[in-house]
Amino acid sequence: MTNEYESLSSPPYPEDAICCSRVAAHPSGELFVTYAAGELQLRKVPSGAPRYLLPRDDVQAVAFSADGTKLAVGRMAKSADIFDVSTGALLGDTEINDDYVDEVAWLGSEVLATGAASVQLQVHQLVKKTGFFKMFKSGTKVVKTLREADPEHHSLFGMAVDSSGSKLFVAAGERLSCIEVSSGRELWAREFEASTGHLAVSKDSRVLVMPSSDQRVLFLDASSGADLRQFSMPTAGVKYDGMIGDAVSWGPRTAFSPDGRTVALNQQDGRLVLLDAVTAQPTWQPSRAPGLAWVEDVCWLRDGRLLTACSDGNVGLVNTQSHEVTLLPASDDRDPEVEPEL
């Protein structure tokens, strides 16, 4: 393992490009959501044409419910918005959290977990209005606080939920833990010498993947937190003449393919790599190119294609078999199909 930074002759993407920082795929595989230029866009596959647009300038996290009916959006406004996917209508927002809502995860079709930057963890129930009150947005109520804000000021780096919605995996500071949602009891925990990172859990809930700040990607037993295997990222970031600061550090994000055989990862130097989920070895490490030049987020469509959110002004629609990349603009200014009810 090396702590060297990759030296580039110029920035890895146009500095005036519209950055796409988040992407998530709808369970149907027919839609995806992006966040770029202060706007959420629900878009169609494969054209990228917008279905509806939502002005939001402080998005930290996005997640579709498993049944595909709702979209949760974590925000720097210390709350999460919940939208109806079919209409774009705002169904409600959560009560104010202690800090930025950096992570959101659905525990059921009406129940949402939020993770604040301060590591405050809450469970929210969507509350529907009846009678006269139906004219107002539905809103939510906090049904459980699994963890209060961290008094030692550790930061939340990752949160993921198992397929049953019964266990929450939380990476904060240098600690990874598994929490039973029903009781709030900590089932297991591990301490690390490096900072933890964003989390992904396999569809069968057996394997947990976590990048760490020491350039490792750890594959862990989700039932105990025990080590299974690991991948070492080649560099700690990039540097180039004229850049502000000494280097670019990175918060890699991981995602399991629908068949569970592959893990997609944007590395600390912004490059994409696909890892074999059994061996943790690379199966494809593409060169920098449009749609792959500097990857900020990754997600899979149900047919096995991959979406990349990029700082180079593109969303990459990647055929992981042929390695062909279709470029979609990070932000699409065409008229939307639906005018959302905000």
Side-chain angles (χ1 to χ4, degrees):
M1 188 181 303
T2 175
N3 289 318
E4 293 298 319
Y5 288 84
E6 181 183 359
S7 294
L8 304 178
S9 59
S10 61
Y13 56 89
E15 293 182 302
D16 60 351
I18 295 175
C19 172
C20 184
S21 61
R22 294 291 179 268
V23 64
H26 188 268
S28 70
E30 298 174 356
L31 298 168
F32 66 100
V33 66
T34 57
Y35 178 63
E39 188 172 66
L40 282 167
Q41 298 192 350
L42 186 70
R43 304 166 66 175
K44 303 176 193 175
V45 177
S47 67
R51 190 160 189 275
Y52 58 69
L53 313 178
L54 300 168
R56 287 291 183 276
D57 60 2
D58 56 0
V59 171
Q60 298 290 91
V62 291
F64 287 101
S65 59
D67 64 4
T69 62
K70 301 173 187 69
L71 173 68
V73 180
R75 303 178 60 201
M76 292 173 67
K78 301 184 180 181
S79 66
D81 290 339
I82 300 174
F83 295 97
D84 184 300
V85 169
S86 63
T87 66
L90 179 64
L91 297 176
D93 52 13
T94 64
E95 297 178 27
I96 298 299
N97 282 242
D98 182 75
D99 206 335
Y100 298 167
V101 176
D102 283 346
E103 298 285 347
V104 289
W106 288 95
L107 305 178
S109 62
E110 305 286 329
V111 183
L112 179 73
T114 59
S118 62
V119 203
Q120 181 189 49
L121 306 176
Q122 292 187 324
V123 178
H124 309 262
Q125 174 77 46
L126 191 64
V127 178
K128 296 181 180 179
K129 303 295 184 180
T130 59
F132 170 80
F133 296 100
K134 290 181 72 174
M135 70 176 63
F136 302 104
K137 63 184 180 182
S138 298
T140 65
K141 65 177 181 180
V142 176
V143 295
K144 190 172 298 183
T145 297
L146 297 176
R147 182 175 293 176
E148 298 290 352
D150 192 322
E152 297 182 6
H153 306 291
H154 290 144
S155 294
L156 179 71
F157 293 129
M159 188 176 80
V161 62
D162 73 344
S163 58
S164 68
S166 63
K167 296 177 184 177
L168 206 61
F169 303 97
V170 180
E174 297 173 352
R175 194 169 192 266
L176 174 66
S177 58
C178 175
I179 298 173
E180 185 178 57
V181 174
S182 60
S183 66
R185 182 168 59 98
E186 189 172 79
L187 300 179
W188 58 259
R190 281 194 60 181
E191 302 285 343
F192 298 88
E193 294 183 359
S195 295
T196 54
H198 295 287
L199 300 171
V201 61
S202 60
K203 190 174 181 179
D204 62 9
S205 301
R206 296 176 63 183
V207 180
L208 188 67
V209 175
M210 183 191 75
S212 62
S213 62
D214 60 1
Q215 297 170 239
R216 295 186 300 161
V217 181
L218 304 177
F219 288 67
L220 307 170
D221 184 330
S223 65
S224 65
D227 291 328
L228 296 175
R229 44 200 170 270
Q230 68 177 41
F231 167 71
S232 296
M233 289 180 275
T235 62
V238 302
K239 60 182 180 180
Y240 51 85
D241 292 341
M243 70 179 291
I244 299 174
D246 296 328
V248 178
S249 60
W250 206 243
R253 292 175 176 269
T254 55
F256 276 93
S257 62
D259 62 10
R261 297 177 181 176
T262 304
V263 172
L265 166 76
N266 58 311
Q267 300 176 87
Q268 287 173 282
D269 60 6
R271 293 178 59 184
L272 176 72
V273 63
L274 300 186
L275 304 176
D276 184 290
V278 175
T279 66
Q281 295 303 302
T283 59
W284 185 44
Q285 298 186 79
S287 301
R288 296 188 195 277
L292 300 170
W294 195 271
V295 181
E296 297 222 22
D297 199 4
V298 292
C299 72
W300 294 86
L301 295 171
R302 63 182 299 175
D303 63 6
R305 287 181 294 175
L306 182 72
L307 286 167
T308 60
C310 299
S311 293
D312 66 4
N314 294 295
V315 173
L317 178 57
V318 184
N319 183 320
T320 58
Q321 299 300 314
S322 66
H323 299 165
E324 295 177 356
V325 181
T326 301
L327 298 180
L328 306 173
S331 181
D332 196 309
D333 58 5
R334 286 177 283 183
D335 291 334
E337 179 182 285
V338 174
E339 289 293 341
E341 304 167 22
L342 298 180

